[in-house]
Amino acid sequence: MLKVLVCVSGGGTNLQAIIDGIEQGKIRNTKIVRVISNNPGAYALTRAKEHGIEGISISPKEYENRDAFHKAFLNAVEDASPDLIVLAGFLVVIPAEVIRKYRNRIINIHPSLIPSFCGTGYYGLKVHEAALERGVKITGATVHYVDEGTDTGPIILQKAVEVKKGDTPKILQQRVMEEAEWIILPQAINMIACGELQEEGLC
Ligand code: GRF
């Protein structure tokens, strides 16, 4: 059984896609053991609760300095003893110590086709604003391993999405979530759970 810890910051639609994937059998041999949010008001925590999944909030604002937050975050991760950490709309930089301890066992969903529109400052709606600004005809989403950089780890899966005439950032974000994010993130977790990604050494 692959034990998964999911980190969230907002609405939790990617978390919901994982929950649904497990409940519908599209993600096999997997259990979400904990959800961590840096935002106590994140609706993602409500989604976790509705499905009987433990959700906790660890916000940098609650700690006197970044080191204290990092320590609390690391404890909350290790306490859950996950096999895989999934960043699903998580807007906080993962402490280097966590990346070291969980090398090749942390994955992230990014709402563009990396290497386009990624890196520092590219998150949420900003990604889609940049894609529309540049005038790309195709965008999409990427699941990648997390390393010390920002959106720089090895790519696992990508899925392309058409940009349509009249798209606003909000409309494009919704299409990228529906047609790409909510498909490839569960798919990547299932691949890891079923040993199709040997390099991470989980299987
Ligand atoms: C989405 O745009 C996703 O691409 C990015 O974070 C945003 C919110 O995701 N990773 P969610 O609804 O909280 O899963």
Side-chain angles (χ1 to χ4, degrees), residues 13-51:
T13 63
N14 279 285
L15 169 66
Q16 189 66 55
I18 300 167
I19 291 169
D20 294 348
I22 292 169
E23 292 182 353
Q24 295 161 10
K26 291 179 190 161
I27 303 176
R28 288 162 289 166
N29 193 27
T30 298
K31 176 179 169 57
I32 300 174
V33 292
R34 177 172 283 176
V35 171
I36 295 178
S37 174
N38 64 301
N39 166 12
Y43 188 67
L45 290 172
T46 302
R47 295 179 190 272
K49 191 171 180 197
E50 285 172 350
H51 290 268

Side-chain angles (χ1 to χ4, degrees), residues 9-15 88-90 108-111 124 128 173 177 181:
S9 296
T13 63
N14 279 285
L15 169 66
F90 194 56
N108 180 52
I109 178 80
H110 183 76
H128 307 291
Q173 178 182 52
M177 286 199 279
E181 295 178 41

Side-chain angles (χ1 to χ4, degrees), residues 163-203:
V163 179
K164 295 185 176 176
K165 198 169 166 43
D167 271 348
T168 63
K170 209 78 179 113
I171 291 170
L172 185 55
Q173 178 182 52
Q174 187 64 27
R175 188 178 312 121
V176 169
M177 286 199 279
E178 287 173 1
E179 297 182 10
E181 295 178 41
W182 301 343
I183 293 169
I184 61 174
L185 185 55
Q187 196 179 342
I189 295 168
N190 186 58
M191 288 167 71
I192 291 168
C194 299
E196 294 169 31
L197 292 174
Q198 299 300 333
E199 62 271 21
E200 83 289 340
L202 271 183
C203 307

